[in-house]
């Protein structure tokens, strides 16, 4: 690999990817591929911290890999792979588990949140989830991690673990930084615009899946929650309209001011139709590419096998160093 900084990021395979994932992550990742050496992982092992139906997990994981490529992430410029195909992730996670404190994990807000939502299945994996994430990142001597706000705390913990390990055993890990750059607008739920648009929303009207067909997209946007006024304007108290304006500005590549000007004097109905059309047009080429990829299983298989092999070579180097430092006998 060329001498560029390393980026690692991943998406869980626990549901559909949404318009939020596309605007906030995938589309931006595609812009990083020339300036960094990027690894984009489908973190299927993280997914099973919440119970998954095996057939769904298999399908979701494969769809995400295809959506990476369909979003413009070039599988030859970047390393695309499934986390479960590179055994070093869990091997390093074990070592890091022994270097992470219970207290640190107890403070993680995502754990507290998920534990309350899945109170029937508060498993040990859910608790140590951030340690596996730290392993994902540290295995590749990652420089930069593009993550959303909800993952900042996990990245902070990753840095703490890396620094602690380095202090004890000597420099082993690169201490990663969060990616600071133009971040796409935060896309909120269409049904509750105070919450992030989420693939795990129990109400499918709250999100637009990247693979929703045009009719579904139009229907969901028409049903989006707005307010009792009638002016398309961007201001406090208009969460629903603000969200639709953010979406429109992102998919139509216009500023908020341009968008507001475009709809001045128009009603919410017309506005929603325009937003829906813009979303449909934005996702159309991605969906087309996805459908083409779906016809070629052999090609996809060659991508993820090659990706895992390249990832494993990098990961093995770090893990070997770690094992040696902590005193395991060389095999
Ligand atoms: N926890 C991340 C999320 O839910 C997914 C993830 C796992 C990840 N390992 C990672 C993201 C490593 C960035 C880097 O969004």
């Amino acid at each position: 690999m060329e001498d560029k900084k390393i980026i690692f990021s991943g998406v869980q395979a626990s549901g559909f990817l949404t318009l939020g994932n596309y605007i906030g992550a995938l589309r931006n990742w595609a812009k990083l591929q020339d300036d960094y050496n990027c690894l984009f992982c489908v973190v299927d092992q993280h997914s099973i911290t919440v119970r998954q139906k095996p057939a769904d997990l298999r399908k979701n994981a494969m769809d995400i890999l295809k959506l990476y490529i369909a979003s413009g992430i070039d599988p030859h410029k970047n390393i695309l792979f499934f986390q479960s195909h590179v055994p070093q992730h869990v091997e390093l996670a074990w070592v890091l588990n022994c270097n992470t404190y219970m207290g640190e994990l107890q403070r993680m807000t995502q754990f507290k949140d998920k534990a309350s939502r899945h109170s029937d299945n508060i498993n040990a994996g859910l608790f140590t989830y951030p340690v596996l994430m730290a392993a994902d990142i540290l295995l590749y001597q990652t420089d930069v991690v593009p993550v959303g706000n909800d993952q900042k705390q996990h990245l902070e913990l990753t840095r703490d673990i890396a620094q602690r390990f380095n202090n004890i055993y000597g420099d082993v890990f690169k201490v990663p930084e969060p990616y600071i750059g133009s971040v796409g607008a935060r896309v909120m739920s269409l049904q509750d615009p105070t919450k992030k648009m989420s693939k795990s929303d129990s109400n499918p009207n709250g999100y637009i899946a990247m693979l929703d067909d045009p009719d579904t997209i139009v229907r969901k946007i028409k049903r989006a929650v707005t307010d009792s006024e009638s002016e398309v304007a961007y201001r406090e108290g208009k969460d629903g309209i603000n969200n639709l304006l953010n979406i429109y500005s992102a998919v139509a590549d216009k500023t908020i001011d341009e968008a507001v000007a475009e709809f001045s004097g128009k009603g919410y109905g017309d506005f929603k139709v325009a937003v829906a059309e813009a979303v449909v047009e934005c996702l159309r080429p991605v969906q087309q590419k996805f459908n083409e990829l779906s016809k070629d299983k052999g090609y996809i298989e060659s991508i993820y096998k090659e990706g895992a092999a390249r990832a494993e070579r990098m990961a093995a180097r770090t893990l070997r160093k770690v094992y040696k430092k902590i005193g395991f006998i060389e095999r």
Side-chain angles (χ1 to χ4, degrees), residues 112-123:
K112 289 189 255 186
D113 174 47
K114 285 195 180 169
S116 72
R117 277 191 290 129
H118 304 278
S119 56
D120 55 333
N121 182 20
I122 306 179
N123 61 76

Side-chain angles (χ1 to χ4, degrees), residues 218-236:
V218 171
R219 182 167 43 77
K220 287 180 178 177
I221 291 182
K222 280 192 175 158
R223 284 193 194 164
V225 168
T226 53
D227 52 53
S228 56
E229 304 176 350
S230 58
E231 187 194 1
V232 179
Y234 197 90
R235 62 169 175 259
E236 223 185 298

Side-chain angles (χ1 to χ4, degrees), residues 13 21 25 42 50 60 89 98 101 103 110 112 116 132 141 165 175 186 219 248 268 305 316 325:
N21 294 111
V42 180
V50 173
N60 289 332
H89 289 247
C98 300
Y101 299 114
Q110 188 171 304
K112 289 189 255 186
S116 72
L132 179 59
Q141 306 295 342
F165 195 95
V175 180
R186 214 165 117 91
R219 182 167 43 77
Y248 184 72
Y268 287 175
K305 286 200 165 158
K325 291 277 191 187

Side-chain angles (χ1 to χ4, degrees), residues 116-170:
S116 72
R117 277 191 290 129
H118 304 278
S119 56
D120 55 333
N121 182 20
I122 306 179
N123 61 76
L126 192 64
F127 189 62
T128 60
Y129 174 115
V131 181
L132 179 59
M133 177 162 163
D136 297 340
I137 296 168
L138 299 179
L139 264 183
Y140 299 97
Q141 306 295 342
T142 300
D143 294 281
V144 198
V145 186
V147 281
N149 269 331
D150 59 329
Q151 297 298 314
K152 289 251 164 76
Q153 197 185 27
H154 289 162
L155 188 58
E156 228 8 83
L157 177 67
T158 301
R159 290 168 51 86
D160 290 344
I161 297 172
Q163 272 156 351
R164 180 177 313 138
F165 195 95
N166 286 348
N167 284 339
I168 301 172
Y169 298 102

Side-chain angles (χ1 to χ4, degrees), residues 28 32 54 77 87 92 94 96 121 153 181 195 240 255 279 297:
N28 302 328
L32 301 171
K77 280 190 194 156
L92 180 61
W94 174 253
L96 299 183
N121 182 20
Q153 197 185 27
K195 289 205 195 109
T255 66
V279 171
K297 277 206 178 121

